[in-house]
């Protein structure tokens, strides 16, 4: 299981105590998931919000990128065949062929940038289709 998360604190609106939020992304059995759990240290306020098969909310992505920096997916072979690359990109992102070609060009030139989990998900699909790729985690 591949996961990346961040813990943040905020002020609880119920009683003004310290609110602890744990949020992140995970690849579980080949599927992307995201979740947020929160609880207050000074009152019974608590919740859990999670989902799968959809895009991670932008707020969670921003928190992960701010905490861990971006990851970059790059092909490890100089010229992978276009067919497995396009197939993998379309499977992960539900893209049209034209959109997948554009993303494949970006992968080949500058690499695809996203959260660690997002890039690892694409890398796993590329590897599944015999297109070698690696994820570089930023040290920012």
């Amino acid at each position: 299981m591949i996961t990346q998360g961040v813990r943040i604190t905020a002020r609880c609106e119920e009683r003004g105590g310290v609110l602890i939020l744990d949020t992140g992304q995970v690849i579980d059995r080949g599927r992307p998931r995201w979740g947020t759990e929160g609880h207050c240290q000074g009152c019974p306020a608590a919740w859990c919000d999670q989902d799968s098969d959809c895009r991670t909310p932008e707020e969670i992505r921003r928190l992960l990128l701010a905490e861990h920096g971006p990851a970059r997916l790059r092909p490890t072979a100089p010229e992978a065949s276009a067919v497995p690359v396009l197939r993998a990109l379309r499977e992960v992102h539900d893209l049209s062929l034209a959109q997948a070609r554009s993303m494949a060009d970006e992968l080949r030139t500058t690499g695809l940038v996203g959260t660690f989990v997002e890039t690892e998900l694409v890398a796993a699909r590329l590897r599944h289709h015999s297109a070698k790729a690696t994820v570089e985690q930023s040290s920012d």
Side-chain angles (χ1 to χ4, degrees):
M1 185 180 322
I2 295 173
T3 184
Q4 187 176 58
V6 62
R7 176 174 277 195
I8 58 173
T9 59
R11 186 172 175 88
C12 177
E13 294 179 14
E14 294 287 322
R15 297 212 177 128
V18 177
L19 186 64
I20 308 293
L21 300 169
D22 289 305
T23 189
Q25 291 178 307
V26 63
I27 300 172
D28 184 19
R29 290 173 269 181
R31 302 184 85 165
R33 301 182 188 279
W34 63 267
T36 297
E37 293 181 10
H39 70 277
C40 178
Q41 292 181 327
C43 74
W47 75 94
C48 178
D49 189 17
Q50 59 187 355
D51 204 351
S52 61
D53 297 329
C54 70
R55 291 185 173 264
T56 299
E58 195 57 36
E59 181 178 339
I60 294 174
R61 290 187 78 253
R62 279 194 301 269
L63 289 169
L64 292 169
L65 291 168
E67 178 76 14
H68 301 287
R72 185 176 303 271
L73 173 64
R74 295 183 187 275
T76 55
E79 285 299 320
S81 171
V83 173
V85 171
L86 294 172
R87 182 175 290 146
L89 293 172
R90 293 184 77 193
E91 288 172 0
V92 172
H93 294 293
D94 194 29
L95 302 172
S96 69
L97 186 55
Q99 292 168 318
R101 283 184 180 139
S102 176
M103 189 174 273
D105 288 342
E106 184 180 348
L107 172 66
R108 188 173 44 257
T109 57
T110 62
L112 297 178
V113 176
T115 68
F116 178 71
V117 171
E118 292 164 348
T119 54
E120 279 292 340
L121 181 64
V122 176
R125 291 311 300 165
L126 287 167
R127 291 179 200 121
H128 174 79
H129 291 292
S130 300
K132 297 179 181 180
T134 186
V135 173
E136 303 163 354
Q137 180 68 51
S138 173
S139 59
D140 296 344

